């Protein structure tokens, strides 16, 4: 179990150091901003959605390792998904980090690295910030999402 934990930590640190899709999307047609006042995490999320499918996604912002890695891994998992699939993934991810149900690693893929977050309740908001912002972007809300 500790090997797995080390591996998870490594993935999170790697995505913190070199966040994927860390760019402004010039042709975005959905966007939203998120803020986690508890930790100071900020995210600007950009999406290009066509025919209900996420075609491209990018983000900018600054925050702790968990929030940056979560946004990075989230953007990697979204492309080609329908809005319904994104909602389902959000639900699974939320259950994983809040400990509401046993994680389903097969369904979550790399996102399973956040399983350890459930042991640190204050970090749950860091891990879910990008996802709440994603939801706001898909719903077309232009207000800043705050986790508090
Ligand atoms: Zn944070």
């Amino acid at each position: 179990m500790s090997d797995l934990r080390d591996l998870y930590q490594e993935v999170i640190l790697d995505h913190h150091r070199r966040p994927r899709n860390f760019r402004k999307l010039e042709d975005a047609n959905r966007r939203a901003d998120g803020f986690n006042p508890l930790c100071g995490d900020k995210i600007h999320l950009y999406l290009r959605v066509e025919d209900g499918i996420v075609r491209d996604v990018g983000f900018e912002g600054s925050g702790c390792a968990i929030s940056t890695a979560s946004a990075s891994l989230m953007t990697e998992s979204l492309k080609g998904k329908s809005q319904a699939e994104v909602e389902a993934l959000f639900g699974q991810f939320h259950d994983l980090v809040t400990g509401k149900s046993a994680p389903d690693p097969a369904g979550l893929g790399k996102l399973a690295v956040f399983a350890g977050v459930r042991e640190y309740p204050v970090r749950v908001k860091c891990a879910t910030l990008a996802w709440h912002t994603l939801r706001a972007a898909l719903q077309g809300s232009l207000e800043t999402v705050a986790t508090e």
Side-chain angles (χ1 to χ4, degrees), residues 1-17 65-66 69 73 110 112-116 120:
M1 190 62 200
S2 77
D3 284 355
L4 191 63
R5 209 166 278 220
D6 289 349
L7 174 71
Y8 281 0
Q9 195 134 10
E10 222 164 89
V11 173
I12 288 171
L13 288 176
D14 177 50
H15 278 263
H16 173 55
R17 277 190 224 109
I66 298 278
L73 280 153
K110 274 195 204 167
V113 298
F114 292 99
Y120 307 95

Side-chain angles (χ1 to χ4, degrees), residues 121-135:
V122 72
R123 289 290 176 199
V124 170
K125 291 183 194 301
C126 301
T128 55
L129 176 66
W131 290 87
H132 285 296
T133 309
L134 167 69
R135 239 191 186 172

Side-chain angles (χ1 to χ4, degrees), residues 36 38-41 63-68 122-123 125-127 129:
N36 172 17
L38 271 186
C39 182
D41 308 314
C64 65
I66 298 278
S67 70
T68 305
V122 72
R123 289 290 176 199
K125 291 183 194 301
C126 301
L129 176 66

Side-chain angles (χ1 to χ4, degrees), residues 66-134:
I66 298 278
S67 70
T68 305
S70 176
S72 173
L73 280 153
M74 180 188 83
T75 58
E76 277 200 321
S77 64
L78 293 182
K79 280 179 210 173
K81 285 202 163 52
S82 70
Q83 295 202 28
E85 286 169 331
V86 169
E87 274 295 319
L89 199 60
F90 174 89
Q92 281 182 298
F93 183 78
H94 198 264
D95 285 352
L96 175 78
V97 296
T98 56
K100 275 190 191 133
S101 66
D104 170 14
L108 282 163
K110 274 195 204 167
L111 295 170
V113 298
F114 292 99
V117 168
R118 65 176 62 187
E119 287 163 39
Y120 307 95
V122 72
R123 289 290 176 199
V124 170
K125 291 183 194 301
C126 301
T128 55
L129 176 66
W131 290 87
H132 285 296
T133 309
L134 167 69

